[in-house]
């Protein structure tokens, strides 16, 4: 059973319930102060408590996404997997150094509302493992391919790409289960509000359970390089993706939204547009990041401060959409960033900033689901 499967949780719940009933039934018979009855009582208590703790641990893990598979849990940092070919995607013989392979990890089989039918009619969602040449990182992702991708009439067409990032802590599966991303994308594409687009779903946590905020940690995980070099290179080598930055967009909510804005601002040659839902504009460093992500280097930290970049560096050729709620605790900082960015954009036509604000709603999936359609429509208007 998969680590994140409901079957595992239900099995442990059943075991815990059975252990509790057995304990109540056998306890009077094990009341004597002899070695065997004492060992029996200890055994029953151990099984019951271990079952309860395991269910709680699984529930927390499934909610926050610290580990997405047994390999992720038992082999911290990930293991290198053998690379396999995927010749159906490229239409040519695959290269020997292909960096993406199919995988059954991640819990895709638990999603009930995936596109059903032939791929050329409904599209397809794949579970894949991406391996990075530059960073040595490896992670599981979901890739949605639109129906047109499988249509022979579009065999020579390269498709735009949207990289979607979940929040922290959270699994990639949240983009399918908690946020109806693929369902909304397909509806937007059917209505013509979004072009046929390859959607790549990932989590920002590349070194679980540490929150690296999508930055290159000195002496640690190179999360930024992973998302701006390894992931795009692997996708281009496997799928028929657009080549220019104009055909690549990055989207995210919460920590994923912070990452989306930061990755695009720092690498506009990779992502030509970005949408951040309820994100931050400065890297937060706390117990989840393991303290300082920059080793105390203030100059390095400034480079990831988006307000500092707007004030001190040339405006990038980039389009941004900042989305939030007027009820968010840090809404004032969001307005401050947007107003500052609008001033920069007024003098630099290659840089554009838009904003959308809910009148109510908090830092939760209800708000992000309501903001999703308009955010995707904006992405559709900006994808080359």
């Amino acid at each position: 059973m998969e680590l994140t499967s409901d079957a595992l949780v239900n099995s442990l719940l059943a075991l815990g319930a059975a252990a509790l009933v057995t304990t109540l039934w056998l306890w009077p018979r094990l009341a004597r102060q002899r070695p065997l009855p004492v060992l029996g009582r200890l055994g029953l208590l151990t099984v019951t408590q271990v079952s309860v703790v395991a269910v709680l641990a699984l529930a927390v893990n499934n909610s926050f996404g610290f580990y997405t598979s047994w390999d992720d849990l038992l082999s911290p940092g990930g293991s290198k997997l053998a690379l396999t070919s995927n010749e159906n995607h490229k239409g040519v013989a695959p290269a020997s150094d292909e960096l993406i392979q199919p995988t059954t990890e991640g819990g895709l089989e638990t999603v009930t509302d995936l596109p059903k039918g032939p791929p050329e009619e409904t599209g397809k969602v794949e579970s894949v493992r991406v391996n990075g040449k530059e960073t040595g990182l490896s992670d599981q992702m979901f890739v949605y391919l639109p129906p047109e991708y499988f249509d022979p009439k579009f065999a020579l067409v390269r498709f735009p790409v949207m990289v979607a990032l979940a929040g922290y802590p959270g699994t990639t599966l949240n983009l399918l289960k908690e946020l109806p991303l693929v369902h909304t994308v397909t509806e937007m594409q059917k209505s013509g509000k979004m072009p046929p687009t390859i959607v790549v779903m990932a989590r920002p946590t590349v070194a679980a359970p540490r929150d690296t905020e999508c930055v290159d940690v000195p002496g640690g995980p190179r999360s930024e390089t992973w998302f701006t070099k390894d992931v795009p290179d692997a996708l281009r080598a496997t799928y028929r993706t657009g080549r220019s930055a104009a055909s690549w967009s990055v989207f995210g909510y919460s920590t994923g939204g912070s990452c989306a804005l930061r990755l695009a601002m720092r690498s506009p040659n990779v992502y030509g547009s970005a949408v951040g839902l309820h994100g931050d504009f400065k890297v937060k460093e706390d117990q989840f990041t393991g303290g300082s992500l920059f080793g105390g280097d203030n100059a390095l930290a400034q480079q990831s401060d988006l307000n500092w970049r707007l004030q001190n560096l040339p405006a990038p050729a980039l389009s941004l959409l900042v989305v939030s709620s007027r009820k968010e605790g840090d809404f004032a900082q969001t307005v401050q960033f947007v107003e500052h960015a609008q001033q920069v954009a007024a003098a630099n036509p290659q840089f554009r900033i838009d904003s959308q604000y809910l009148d109510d709603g908090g830092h939760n999936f209800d708000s992000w689901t309501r903001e999703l359609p308009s955010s995707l429509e904006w992405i559709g208007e900006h994808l080359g």
Side-chain angles (χ1 to χ4, degrees):
M1 287 181 281
E2 289 287 340
L3 179 64
T4 56
S5 68
D6 292 336
L8 181 58
V9 176
N10 292 335
S11 297
L12 288 173
L13 278 172
L15 177 61
L20 178 60
V21 172
T22 303
T23 300
L24 294 174
W25 179 51
L26 292 179
W27 196 265
R29 304 185 185 189
L30 300 174
R32 286 184 261 180
Q33 300 301 315
R34 293 182 180 179
L36 287 179
V38 170
L39 289 175
R41 294 198 299 272
L42 289 175
L44 288 172
L45 291 174
T46 300
V47 172
T48 303
Q49 293 184 9
V50 167
S51 300
V52 171
V53 171
V55 169
L56 291 174
L58 284 172
V60 171
N61 183 69
N62 291 352
S63 297
F64 296 108
F66 295 112
Y67 303 99
T68 60
S69 67
W70 290 110
D71 286 340
D72 200 5
L73 173 64
L74 301 175
S75 303
S79 58
K80 289 293 179 293
L81 302 182
L83 303 180
T84 61
S85 65
N86 204 341
E87 57 189 37
N88 291 332
H89 292 309
K90 297 179 66 179
V92 297
S96 60
D97 61 346
E98 207 160 349
L99 300 176
I100 291 181
Q101 69 174 52
T103 180
T104 57
E105 62 186 307
L108 186 61
E109 74 284 351
T110 66
V111 183
T112 58
D113 60 347
L114 293 177
K116 294 179 176 62
E120 62 272 17
E121 295 179 6
T122 63
K124 182 182 180 183
V125 178
E126 300 181 336
S127 178
V128 300
R129 174 159 284 272
V130 181
N131 299 295
K133 268 188 174 181
E134 184 77 15
T135 64
L137 293 169
S138 179
D139 205 8
Q140 179 267 344
M141 299 180 181
F142 300 127
V143 178
Y144 165 74
L145 302 171
E148 291 81 0
Y149 192 90
F150 302 95
D151 190 331
K153 292 185 297 185
F154 297 91
L156 300 180
V157 172
R158 293 188 174 276
F159 291 79
V161 179
M162 181 182 81
V163 175
L165 302 177
Y168 173 89
T171 67
T172 309
L173 206 60
N174 284 347
L175 290 162
L176 289 169
K177 281 193 166 183
E178 305 296 337
L179 192 72
L181 182 59
V182 168
H183 175 76
T184 309
V185 165
T186 56
E187 291 300 315
M188 300 290 287
Q189 292 180 358
K190 287 178 182 177
S191 65
K193 296 180 179 179
M194 190 175 185
T197 303
I198 296 173
V199 180
V200 181
M201 290 157 273
R203 58 176 180 170
T205 315
V206 298
R210 188 181 187 187
D211 177 16
T212 56
E213 291 285 320
C214 299
V215 304
D216 283 354
V217 180
R222 299 169 63 194
S223 304
E224 181 179 1
T225 302
W226 165 251
F227 284 114
T228 58
K229 173 66 176 173
D230 282 345
V231 172
D233 283 354
L235 293 170
R236 291 190 184 103
T238 306
Y239 300 99
R240 301 196 311 274
T241 68
R243 299 295 190 187
S244 68
S247 61
W248 284 68
S249 185
V250 57
F251 161 95
Y253 63 85
S254 191
T255 298
S258 306
C259 287
L261 298 175
R262 191 177 306 115
L263 291 170
M265 285 280 286
R266 286 178 56 83
S267 298
N269 60 317
V270 178
Y271 300 107
S273 60
V275 176
L277 274 57
H278 299 231
D280 297 312
F281 309 101
K282 184 178 180 179
V283 175
K284 289 185 176 180
E285 296 180 303
D286 52 25
Q287 67 271 28
F288 301 110
T289 62
S292 175
L293 288 171
F294 304 103
D297 189 331
N298 291 331
L300 194 60
Q302 280 183 333
Q303 292 292 325
S304 293
D305 184 333
L306 301 191
N307 281 296
W308 183 90
R309 295 185 71 85
L310 285 176
Q311 185 173 347
N312 295 278
L313 299 177
L318 179 68
S319 295
L320 298 180
L321 173 63
V322 175
V323 183
S324 190
S325 162
R326 300 182 190 277
K327 300 297 184 180
E328 276 277 19
D330 59 355
F331 181 65
Q333 288 93 318
T334 299
V335 173
Q336 180 183 18
F337 173 81
V338 171
E339 291 178 347
H340 187 187
Q342 288 172 339
Q343 294 173 2
V344 173
N348 299 272
Q350 79 277 12
F351 178 66
R352 178 179 175 181
I353 177 81
D354 293 312
S355 60
Q356 296 177 3
Y357 304 136
L358 286 179
D359 289 332
D360 59 357
H363 201 83
N364 52 52
F365 282 104
D366 176 69
S367 297
W368 302 327
T369 299
R370 285 191 286 155
E371 295 160 351
L372 185 59
S374 60
S375 299
L376 293 177
E377 184 173 0
W378 184 93
I379 289 176
E381 294 171 353
H382 289 81
L383 276 176

